[in-house]
């Protein structure tokens, strides 16, 4: 929360990536994204966390760089 506050004060957008998304935290971030594409078991989420995070990060990177052009 502190880092998000400092970033906002400096005019830097803040994006959160997590396993689940909680609406009550949305005021802190400009975007909140879940690494899962739907309901999955905790075991499956832990097993595939790296690959799911990598895929989401790649997609966000494409979105951000496309909007900077």
């Amino acid at each position: 929360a502190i880092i998000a506050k400092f970033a906002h004060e400096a005019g830097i957008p803040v994006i959160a990536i997590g396993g689940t998304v909680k609406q009550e935290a949305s005021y802190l971030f400009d975007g909140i994204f879940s690494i899962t594409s739907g309901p999955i078991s905790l075991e499956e989420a832990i097993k595939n966390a790296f690959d799911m995070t990598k895929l989401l990060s790649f997609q966000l990177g494409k979105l951000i760089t496309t909007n900077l052009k």
Side-chain angles (χ1 to χ4, degrees):
I2 294 172
I3 293 171
K5 180 182 178 224
F6 287 134
H8 281 291
E9 289 172 358
I12 301 169
V14 181
I15 297 173
I17 298 174
T20 60
V21 174
K22 303 273 185 176
Q23 281 302 110
E24 55 268 11
S26 64
Y27 76 95
L28 294 169
F29 304 100
D30 297 293
I32 301 177
F33 301 90
S34 173
I35 63 170
T36 63
S37 58
I40 61 173
S41 69
L42 178 59
E43 181 180 283
E44 186 178 354
I46 291 170
K47 178 181 172 188
N48 297 307
F50 178 80
D51 290 333
M52 291 186 298
T53 303
K54 184 172 136 183
L55 177 62
L56 177 61
S57 299
F58 178 75
Q59 295 299 323
L60 287 171
K62 283 177 43 179
L63 177 66
I64 292 167
T65 57
T66 298
N67 285 325
L68 292 177
K69 292 180 182 179

